[in-house]
Amino acid sequence: MASPIPLVPPVITATYWCTAVLEVAGGQLAGGPDAEAFARLSRYVHLMAENTASDTERRGCLLAKGAAELAQHDPTVAQRSAETMTALLTLLRTEISAAQRHGDIDSTADPERLRPFC
């Protein structure tokens, strides 16, 4: 009889998702000249839209929802999820501020309020 396929512990799955999110975001929002910040933000938003549209099996949703659900019951997952969101929002705020300095985004707009739209 064949051995059963080992299940991946949920905490590892949630950690994988968090790591993947930051790797993708960090690759797109790596900083650089202010003159290129709006292009970096645009590429990131387009990449996220393309990934979401092409994920017909909804694996990304499953991992994100799994991490959110586990965070309610597992302090390790909760901490990792919070760290991931803080890091992601920091990357976005940095790029929005750079685009504002260059004049591509209204300088009076609050970067904190713009981040969720990215």
Side-chain angles (χ1 to χ4, degrees), residues 2-20:
S3 299
I5 297 172
L7 296 176
V8 177
V11 77
I12 292 174
T13 303
T15 299
Y16 167 79
W17 179 79
C18 291
T19 300

Side-chain angles (χ1 to χ4, degrees), residues 6 16 26 28-29 39 42-43 59 64 66-68 88 99 104 107-108 116 118:
Y16 167 79
Q28 296 295 313
L29 306 172
S42 180
R43 278 193 305 271
R59 290 177 303 213
L88 176 60
D104 293 319
S107 63
T108 63
C118 296

Side-chain angles (χ1 to χ4, degrees), residues 55 57-67:
D55 186 8
E57 295 178 22
R58 302 180 84 60
R59 290 177 303 213
C61 288
L62 175 65
L63 290 172
K65 288 178 183 178

Side-chain angles (χ1 to χ4, degrees), residues 41-83:
L41 281 166
S42 180
R43 278 193 305 271
Y44 175 73
V45 169
H46 282 102
L47 178 63
M48 292 298 97
E50 289 169 10
N51 285 345
T52 300
S54 68
D55 186 8
T56 58
E57 295 178 22
R58 302 180 84 60
R59 290 177 303 213
C61 288
L62 175 65
L63 290 172
K65 288 178 183 178
E69 185 174 323
L70 283 171
Q72 297 175 24
H73 307 287
D74 186 320
T76 302
V77 174
Q79 180 179 351
R80 181 67 172 125
S81 296
E83 289 169 355

